[in-house]
Amino acid sequence: MTGIIAAMSCEAELILGAMKDRSPRVVGGMTFWQGRIGDEDVVLATCGVGKVFASACATAMIITYNPDKIINTGVAGAVSNSVNKLDTVVGTALVQHDMDTTPLGDEAGLISGINKVYFETDKELSDKLYSFVELCGGKAKRGIVATGDQFVASAEVKSRIATLFGASCADMEGGAIAHVCFINNVPFAALRTMSDGADGDASGDFMEFCNKAAKISSDVIISYLSTSK
Ligand code: ADE
């Protein structure tokens, strides 16, 4: 079974619409839709915005459905100059840009206990998703996804995240889901289409391009799942 997590309903509704024989179940305050796309068993959840909702959702999904992989899909803000609006970033690794114990002498983004800054994604799954972005007519890029409880909307913050972490884009859930998948040994991939440039125009661009960007990543997920068996 493949688990799919999106933050907002606009990022999940097309995927939900493509699911056959679907039925809902509420676990830990989250609604999980179980069904099929093509011949693949799928569980889909709309977790809500931010790292706490994302980790609560990933944990409940893993404990309840035991998926063999989880994909986080949706929109993001581009922080690298080589990533443009409506490009799709397939994550190579995820980092939590607001994790900060640097006053204690740690590296920025370090997660104590497991001593990690970056969570690598599953290569085979990411390569497949990358090929489907191109098949769906999207512009595919690979890069690091930086996650924090912050909608990035300034040149300064954007440049800090790009410089400090080598990130391509910023979201608000991926790094938390990657973290939960890591501690549970579940292969993980991230697929994010750019709704904005994480700069001073980000809020207006987000409103304008969010649905269009969400459709691109949803189309990729649906095409991938339709042919994955
Ligand atoms: N998701 C979409 N755009 C974003 C941004 N600029 N910052 C964080 N998450 C986002």
Side-chain angles (χ1 to χ4, degrees):
M1 178 181 288
T2 300
I4 307 285
I5 300 178
M8 300 179 291
S9 53
C10 66
E11 297 168 311
E13 63 199 2
L14 294 173
I15 303 168
L16 183 61
M19 279 175 82
K20 302 264 179 321
D21 305 326
R22 60 178 194 249
S23 58
R25 178 176 169 193
V26 178
V27 182
M30 304 271 163
T31 302
F32 293 91
W33 286 90
Q34 189 175 353
R36 276 182 302 103
I37 296 183
D39 291 328
E40 180 67 14
D41 290 323
V42 176
V43 58
L44 168 71
T46 306
C47 67
V49 173
K51 294 193 298 173
V52 173
F53 275 145
S55 30
C57 181
T59 303
M61 181 181 274
I62 291 168
I63 290 172
T64 311
Y65 294 94
N66 192 28
D68 49 58
K69 54 194 167 307
I70 290 181
I71 305 170
N72 175 220
T73 179
V75 304
V79 299
S80 156
N81 292 333
S82 56
V83 178
N84 299 308
K85 260 177 274 177
L86 301 179
D87 286 356
T88 299
V89 171
V90 178
T92 51
L94 286 281
V95 59
Q96 295 171 27
H97 66 75
D98 56 355
M99 189 70 185
D100 186 5
T101 52
T102 57
L104 301 174
D106 290 337
E107 198 183 338
L110 184 88
I111 294 162
S112 307
I114 51 176
N115 262 346
K116 280 181 85 69
V117 175
Y118 296 98
F119 295 98
E120 285 78 27
T121 53
D122 185 80
K123 182 154 179 1
E124 196 185 325
L125 179 56
S126 302
D127 285 350
K128 266 193 206 141
L129 290 171
Y130 187 96
S131 67
F132 276 96
V133 175
E134 309 233 298
L135 282 174
C136 291
K139 202 142 191 264
K141 304 267 165 83
R142 288 185 203 269
I144 292 169
V145 181
T147 300
D149 284 322
Q150 178 180 21
F151 184 84
V152 180
S154 83
E156 293 72 33
V157 179
K158 164 179 170 155
S159 140
R160 174 191 172 268
I161 293 171
T163 310
L164 207 50
F165 300 107
S168 291
C169 66
D171 75 359
M172 300 179 68
E173 298 81 24
I177 302 168
H179 187 162
V180 171
C181 286
F182 174 79
I183 61 178
N184 286 281
N185 224 355
V186 176
F188 169 79
L191 182 79
R192 291 276 180 174
T193 302
M194 303 305 109
S195 54
D196 58 80
D199 53 12
D201 297 326
S203 38
D205 286 346
F206 178 80
M207 298 299 177
E208 189 176 343
F209 294 107
C210 188
N211 285 333
K212 201 169 177 190
K215 181 177 177 347
I216 295 171
S217 48
S218 300
D219 284 348
V220 173
I221 295 290
I222 294 165
S223 311
Y224 158 72
L225 290 170
S226 303
T227 54
S228 72
K229 250 189 195 162

